[in-house]
Amino acid sequence: MKIYGSKQCPDCRKCKATLEANGIEFEFLDVTEGLLNLKMFLKYRDNEQMFDRFKTAGKVGIPFLVFEDGTMLHDWEGWCREKGITPVSAVSGQACSIDGKGC
């Protein structure tokens, strides 16, 4: 799976730490570290309706997961729970949305 996120985002750090702690393989694509990663993410964000609620709320919409079969999701915690994985405790850091309440 690919995870689009940012090392600056506490939600992304929590997602990444949870998957690493449970030995789940993934590719982390930091959208703040390179234009290619940002462009790939924006292609999804600009074209997928699932991002509408994030854009309306002034959020970025990360972490964003894309699985090998093309399935896309934002609810990584729900996905983890379905797999019997408990998300790690909160990871400190500032939120990255305009309202300061998430990414």
Side-chain angles (χ1 to χ4, degrees), residues 9-57:
C9 165
D11 296 337
C12 298
R13 289 195 305 269
K14 184 176 176 183
C15 175
K16 190 172 183 264
T18 298
L19 298 179
E20 288 173 343
N22 288 277
I24 297 172
E25 292 185 29
F26 62 91
E27 179 182 4
F28 188 80
L29 301 165
D30 193 320
V31 300
T32 60
E33 288 190 348
L35 286 178
L36 179 59
N37 292 344
L38 178 60
K39 285 180 180 182
M40 289 189 304
F41 172 70
L42 289 176
K43 186 172 183 179
Y44 289 110
R45 191 171 192 274
D46 291 346
N47 295 296
E48 298 294 333
Q49 287 184 335
M50 66 189 301
F51 282 95
D52 289 350
R53 66 186 171 106
F54 293 98
K55 292 187 279 189
T56 300

Side-chain angles (χ1 to χ4, degrees), residues 8-11 13 92-103:
Q8 300 172 28
C9 165
D11 296 337
R13 289 195 305 269
S92 64
Q94 286 186 310
C96 49
S97 68
I98 293 171
D99 65 6
K101 296 180 181 175
C103 296

